[in-house]
Amino acid sequence: MKKLSLFTTAILSVGLAACVPADDPKPEASPQDVFFEHISMLCNKAYAGKLVSSDEADADFVDKPMIMHVSKCEQNKVEIPFHVAEEGKDWNRSRTWFLTRTAEGIRLKHRHRHEDGSLDDVTNYGGDTTDEGTANRQEFPVDAESIESFKVNELTASVENVWAVEISSPGQSDAKFAYELRRPEGPNERFFRVEFDLSQPVTAPPAPWGE
């Protein structure tokens, strides 16, 4: 009986051990996790860029020097001022892009200020992701708050806006950051895209207007 008891105990021990769950593996990072991490890796750095689209509506941006500066980073929020050189003037420092992690995905918002620091009538517009996107590209269809603002300010064409942000994976020799605005085909069709060279940081610009 003693031998049987030991044998039975051994079998039970093996069985119980098999029932104990192994340490849970870390969940695989989502495309949005990777995307936001790559953006955050640019914190406190600035990069030169240029207009790469060709819509006539953007003639004022052609050949103008541009700089994007990932100026402030929190765990779930990144601020990216967008500076554009003005011909015969100082730089236009009115625009800042905000990327924020939410419970549902990522949100893109725009802040516009005048040179005196006051907010423009059209500000805090943007949208939220509606799917996971990819680690290199996220799209932001216009949200209800922005649609209402555009209508109030008689910018009805903008109610069809879809913005996008792209970032290359680290380590690529031709790595870039891109900001894009697109509207579907039709009377309000639109395509605006600027790209920034991530291979070579530049000197950080002054703070945006009002900061």
Side-chain angles (χ1 to χ4, degrees):
M1 290 294 294
K2 186 175 182 181
K3 289 183 179 180
L4 181 61
S5 176
L6 290 173
F7 177 76
T8 302
T9 301
I11 292 295
L12 288 172
S13 297
V14 171
L16 289 171
C19 294
V20 176
D23 291 339
D24 291 336
K26 291 183 178 179
E28 185 176 349
S30 71
Q32 292 183 339
D33 291 334
V34 178
F35 174 87
F36 205 84
E37 180 181 357
H38 288 173
I39 296 287
S40 298
M41 290 171 66
L42 305 180
C43 199
N44 299 318
K45 296 179 181 178
Y47 301 91
K50 62 182 179 180
L51 179 75
V52 297
S53 52
S54 57
D55 270 14
E56 290 184 6
D58 301 317
D60 289 345
F61 286 90
V62 175
D63 295 330
K64 286 189 175 178
M66 301 176 179
I67 293 177
M68 54 85 73
H69 179 206
V70 186
S71 61
K72 297 178 183 179
C73 297
E74 301 175 9
Q75 183 176 358
N76 294 312
K77 185 176 182 180
V78 175
E79 296 186 23
I80 308 174
F82 171 44
H83 306 261
V84 181
E86 294 288 359
E87 197 168 324
K89 301 179 182 179
D90 196 359
W91 287 65
N92 184 316
R93 308 191 191 281
S94 64
R95 307 171 181 91
T96 301
W97 304 320
F98 292 80
L99 288 167
T100 306
R101 290 303 307 264
T102 69
E104 291 76 29
I106 302 176
R107 175 173 296 147
L108 170 69
K109 286 288 188 176
H110 304 71
R111 183 173 65 204
H112 279 191
R113 291 187 185 273
H114 298 289
E115 193 166 1
D116 64 4
S118 61
L119 288 172
D120 192 270
D121 289 339
V122 183
T123 191
N124 199 44
Y125 58 87
D128 293 85
T129 54
T130 57
D131 56 36
E132 284 197 340
T134 72
N136 302 117
R137 179 181 172 91
Q138 295 290 324
E139 296 187 350
F140 309 88
V142 62
D143 59 24
E145 177 188 23
S146 304
I147 290 174
E148 181 62 27
S149 175
F150 290 146
K151 289 180 177 178
V152 168
N153 289 281
E154 301 182 352
L155 299 172
T156 53
S158 297
V159 302
E160 298 181 284
N161 283 2
V162 177
W163 296 274
V165 174
E166 291 182 10
I167 184 168
S168 301
S169 299
Q172 297 183 17
S173 58
D174 58 348
K176 66 177 180 290
F177 174 98
Y179 166 91
E180 183 181 295
L181 163 64
R182 186 186 294 272
R183 295 184 199 131
E185 292 184 10
N188 298 321
E189 184 177 358
R190 187 86 162 78
F191 181 59
F192 172 84
R193 182 179 171 93
V194 291
E195 294 183 355
F196 301 84
D197 178 8
L198 298 184
S199 67
Q200 185 61 52
V202 298
T203 302
W209 292 339
E211 294 189 15

